[in-house]
Amino acid sequence: DVALRSCGYLEAVDNVVRVAASNPLTYMAIKASAVVMRVVGVSILGGCGTFISYQVLSSSELHRQLDMVFENASTMLVTSNILGTTIAA
């Protein structure tokens, strides 16, 4: 209500209480649909994030590309300073 009607929080609460009191089935339907959308949204975002992470971590082709990018990178580090090399790594 706050976003849809540009009203204050207390007015939005009053509207919700009025709808819940006058038509409980409508209130329950709206509440249930909001819960369903929240669960679906979290599941999709979590599932996609998990799938992409799995693909990145298990992709042999991606590992080969990264190995080529960082090939000979260790020769650029100064090895006389073990602490500096450890921090840089």
Side-chain angles (χ1 to χ4, degrees):
D1 248 8
V2 174
L4 294 175
R5 296 184 184 176
S6 299
C7 61
Y9 184 75
L10 292 177
E11 187 179 343
V13 170
D14 183 47
N15 291 338
V16 170
V17 170
R18 209 172 327 120
V19 169
S22 66
N23 198 343
L25 289 177
T26 301
Y27 175 77
M28 287 176 24
I30 292 171
K31 182 78 172 165
S33 66
V35 169
V36 167
M37 289 306 296
R38 184 175 61 224
V39 168
V40 167
V42 168
S43 299
I44 288 173
L45 289 174
C48 288
T50 301
F51 178 75
I52 290 170
S53 298
Y54 173 75
Q55 291 299 320
V56 166
L57 292 174
S58 66
S59 172
S60 298
E61 178 59 32
L62 183 60
H63 285 245
R64 281 194 289 278
Q65 288 175 4
L66 286 174
D67 285 341
M68 288 172 35
V69 168
F70 292 110
E71 188 176 327
N72 297 326
S74 62
T75 59
M76 291 186 265
L77 296 174
V78 177
T79 56
S80 63
N81 184 349
I82 299 299
L83 180 61
T85 305
T86 304
I87 292 171

